[in-house]
Amino acid sequence: MRPAFAAAASRSTLRADVVAGLTTAAVVIPKAMAYATIAGLPIEVGLYTAFVPMLVYAWLGTSRPLSVSTTTTIAILTGAELSQVVPDANAAGLLAATSMLTILVGAFLLLAWIARLGFVADFISTPVLVGFKAGIGVVIVVDQLPKILGIHFDKGSFLHNAAEVARGVGHLSWPTLMVGAGVIVALAVMERLRPRWPAPLIAIAAAIAGAGLLGWQAFGIEVVGAVPQRLPALTMPALSLALELWPAAAGIALMSFTETIAVGRAFQANDEPVPTANRELLATGVGNVAGAFFGAMPSGGGMSQTAVNRRSGARTQLSCVVTAATAVVTMLVLAPMIGLLPQAALAGVVIFYSIGLVSPADFRDILRIRRTEAVWVIVAFAGVMLLGTLKGILVAIVVSLVALAQQTADPPVRVLVRKRGTDVFRPRSDDHPDDEDIPGLLILRPEGRLFFLNAERVATRIRPLIAQARPRFVVFDLSAVFDLEYSALKAFIDAEARSRRAGVLLALAGLNPEVLEAVRRSPLDEHIGHEHMFFNVEMAVERLQQELATAPLPAQPLEAST
């Protein structure tokens, strides 16, 4: 199979991709190492994750600028699960468990590719994702604060960790705090004043230089320690943990794919093909499976590194190959220098970029625009902190799906009136008191899919409207109904029969081809007649007004049960 970048690569793009790949590596490598520490893994795991998955995606992926390694979301999910299955955090056990987890993540992605389940990413709504990422950001900050403060305690739940941090503030190490805070300030200044600079690389290089030249360890500032100076060794998975790890792997796979496809679409240029969801499942699935045997943690497309890749001029996935090659050079040449990196500096990088996950503007906009979905944001945000990352996102998804099911089960039914002096029909509203009813006509517009779950609710809403209006004709505008299931069609048939006995006739307008075909195959076609089925409401009103001119209105009041 030809690599995905081969079709788009040319001599004119080679230089641009090399420059972009090197620039992106300056961001990817420090952040990948930092994310490895979030997951409680050795720092070199971040390097391995920026190597194999990146190469595989360059071969199979469909997004030209997408940069694949790992992300804060994936790292925190991975760390939460590993802390459960390897509570003593021994290095050999962590690496074997990580390999098994990463294989399972890749397997779920590949199964989804085989089943063509690319649409599954749409099950996580934007409000849920906003709340989830904000919760993740807060959890990561609290998790990294001990490294910034130079304090130690046994990690536990979010509330436990927050309480321990508060208690430990009185015993903090000022030199450690100065290093961590200095890195955060440096990143903020460079992002603000020199956004094109590789800020993480500069900050980490300065911290390494400080530790190496000034002997910061003498002041109690902890450093990363020895980093293996070699290519990743073959890592065998802990098969015995498969049954324990698969639920978390399914959640991580979902988040990996969601982030990957969202980032790929966000940075697609107008002259580039749209990332193919199912092909992205294949690329990330193979990348995770392959990476698992070379010491990598679960991977996916990253937002900030992709933004750097695009901004640096990446034209094809060849830039990812260059980034991966730079990771190899780091493993073989620069590993001893990385060992001098202060833990506080690494934590500063993590905290700085994790704070960006919390977007007050998104919270405010969702609350202002749609309060129902603001509940989803809050549930996801609180759920991640109080229940844990995976349970939090699952609860938020369930809440949003239940809310959507409730909306589907109770669709609106609008009463349409005519804007005075025009042929424009719109829902009755207090904002338009001059709109006029059509004597003898009641125009109703149900909206959404009508099926067994909501058929009776819709009928219950319609009956009192007919009884109150006492019309000669009820016109159902079905232009907003995209599907009419049998239960709803049967309710229409029964309603037509009851209405006809009460002297009220039904007319239908705006039927799409599928709904029209369903009506024509039912008794409703004969009872209503083709003469009372119209292309739109305007035509229905014009024709029925002509009939009303020669037909008297019913004299008797209609019962509410009509």
Side-chain angles (χ1 to χ4, degrees), residues 261-502:
I261 195 65
V263 173
R265 289 172 178 172
F267 289 95
Q268 173 216 345
N270 293 332
D271 59 346
E272 293 176 349
V274 177
T276 306
N278 283 301
R279 182 64 178 269
E280 295 296 280
L281 285 169
L282 171 65
T284 52
V286 174
N288 274 280
V289 171
F293 290 101
F294 293 94
M297 62 189 287
S299 59
M303 175 70 76
S304 59
Q305 64 197 59
T306 300
V308 171
N309 201 35
R310 171 59 83 194
R311 194 168 60 228
S312 302
R315 307 278 184 83
T316 73
Q317 291 96 331
L318 182 60
S319 62
C320 293
V321 177
V322 175
T323 300
T326 308
V328 172
V329 173
T330 304
M331 297 174 208
L332 297 178
V333 179
L334 303 178
M337 297 175 60
I338 294 173
L340 294 172
L341 176 63
Q343 292 280 9
L346 205 54
V349 173
V350 172
I351 288 175
F352 179 79
Y353 288 104
S354 297
I355 290 173
L357 294 174
V358 183
S359 176
D362 287 339
F363 275 74
R364 183 178 61 251
D365 290 344
I366 293 171
L367 180 62
R368 184 179 70 251
I369 295 170
R370 191 170 169 85
R371 292 192 175 183
T372 300
E373 294 181 59
V375 174
W376 307 351
V377 177
I378 295 169
V379 168
F381 179 68
V384 167
M385 294 186 291
L386 300 179
L387 302 177
T389 49
L390 191 58
K391 291 180 181 178
I393 188 63
L394 290 176
V395 168
I397 291 173
V398 169
V399 168
S400 61
L401 290 178
V402 168
L404 288 175
Q406 184 179 17
Q407 294 173 15
T408 303
D410 193 20
V413 177
R414 318 282 186 191
V415 177
L416 300 187
V417 290
R418 184 166 60 188
K419 182 179 180 181
R420 191 172 299 276
T422 71
D423 287 328
V424 175
F425 291 86
R426 58 190 179 188
R428 178 181 290 159
S429 169
D430 293 338
D431 295 333
H432 306 290
D434 293 335
D435 288 352
E436 57 184 355
D437 291 298
I438 309 298
L441 298 182
L442 175 63
I443 308 172
L444 302 176
R445 186 176 71 194
E447 297 179 358
R449 181 177 183 233
L450 301 184
F451 62 119
F452 69 93
L453 191 61
N454 59 28
E456 184 56 36
R457 284 176 179 265
V458 172
T460 301
R461 285 188 172 191
I462 289 173
R463 289 168 192 156
L465 294 174
I466 296 175
Q468 181 181 7
R470 301 178 56 199
R472 181 72 177 94
F473 289 100
V474 177
V475 180
F476 284 97
D477 175 13
L478 299 183
S479 59
V481 175
F482 59 87
D483 185 33
L484 187 63
E485 190 251 7
Y486 177 78
S487 298
L489 186 59
K490 182 67 166 56
F492 264 109
I493 294 170
D494 295 342
E496 189 279 332
R498 289 195 300 268
S499 298
R500 183 162 22 90
R501 288 194 297 270

Side-chain angles (χ1 to χ4, degrees), residues 82-94:
L82 292 178
S83 67
Q84 298 295 317
V85 298
V86 191
D88 62 351
N90 70 87
L94 279 175

Side-chain angles (χ1 to χ4, degrees), residues 49-377:
T49 310
F51 173 39
V52 176
M54 188 89 70
L55 284 179
V56 172
Y57 187 84
W59 190 277
L60 297 174
T62 60
S63 170
R64 293 183 184 177
L66 187 68
S67 180
V68 172
S69 59
T70 192
T71 68
T72 49
T73 307
I74 295 174
I76 193 69
L77 289 171
T78 300
E81 185 61 20
L82 292 178
S83 67
Q84 298 295 317
V85 298
V86 191
D88 62 351
N90 70 87
L94 279 175
L95 293 178
T98 301
S99 179
M100 189 69 250
L101 179 64
T102 307
I103 286 175
L104 289 172
V105 170
F108 276 114
L109 291 169
L110 290 174
L111 287 174
W113 166 66
I114 293 171
R116 304 188 67 80
L117 296 179
F119 66 89
V120 170
D122 298 332
F123 277 83
I124 300 183
S125 67
T126 298
V128 169
L129 204 54
V130 167
F132 176 68
K133 287 193 170 185
I136 285 288
V138 174
V139 168
I140 291 173
V141 169
V142 171
D143 181 73
Q144 295 296 304
L145 278 176
K147 295 179 182 179
I148 289 278
L149 300 174
I151 59 178
H152 301 85
F153 56 82
D154 293 331
K155 295 288 183 68
S157 67
F158 170 78
L159 294 178
H160 167 81
N161 293 344
E164 290 296 326
V165 168
R167 275 195 288 267
V169 168
H171 307 286
L172 63 84
S173 166
W174 285 103
T176 302
L177 177 61
M178 290 175 64
V179 171
V183 167
I184 293 174
V185 171
L187 290 172
V189 171
M190 284 187 281
E191 290 280 336
R192 176 76 174 177
L193 302 180
R194 292 291 185 268
R196 291 184 174 273
W197 287 9
L201 180 64
I202 295 172
I204 281 182
I208 290 174
L213 299 176
L214 302 178
W216 284 352
Q217 299 93 315
F219 299 96
I221 299 172
E222 298 179 7
V223 297
V224 167
V227 176
Q229 190 175 3
R230 57 173 171 78
L231 291 173
L234 182 65
T235 304
M236 298 308 297
L239 299 177
S240 60
L241 295 177
L243 290 178
E244 292 182 66
L245 291 172
W246 77 261
I252 294 171
L254 177 59
M255 292 308 302
S256 171
F257 174 62
T258 300
E259 290 190 316
T260 297
I261 195 65
V263 173
R265 289 172 178 172
F267 289 95
Q268 173 216 345
N270 293 332
D271 59 346
E272 293 176 349
V274 177
T276 306
N278 283 301
R279 182 64 178 269
E280 295 296 280
L281 285 169
L282 171 65
T284 52
V286 174
N288 274 280
V289 171
F293 290 101
F294 293 94
M297 62 189 287
S299 59
M303 175 70 76
S304 59
Q305 64 197 59
T306 300
V308 171
N309 201 35
R310 171 59 83 194
R311 194 168 60 228
S312 302
R315 307 278 184 83
T316 73
Q317 291 96 331
L318 182 60
S319 62
C320 293
V321 177
V322 175
T323 300
T326 308
V328 172
V329 173
T330 304
M331 297 174 208
L332 297 178
V333 179
L334 303 178
M337 297 175 60
I338 294 173
L340 294 172
L341 176 63
Q343 292 280 9
L346 205 54
V349 173
V350 172
I351 288 175
F352 179 79
Y353 288 104
S354 297
I355 290 173
L357 294 174
V358 183
S359 176
D362 287 339
F363 275 74
R364 183 178 61 251
D365 290 344
I366 293 171
L367 180 62
R368 184 179 70 251
I369 295 170
R370 191 170 169 85
R371 292 192 175 183
T372 300
E373 294 181 59
V375 174
W376 307 351
V377 177

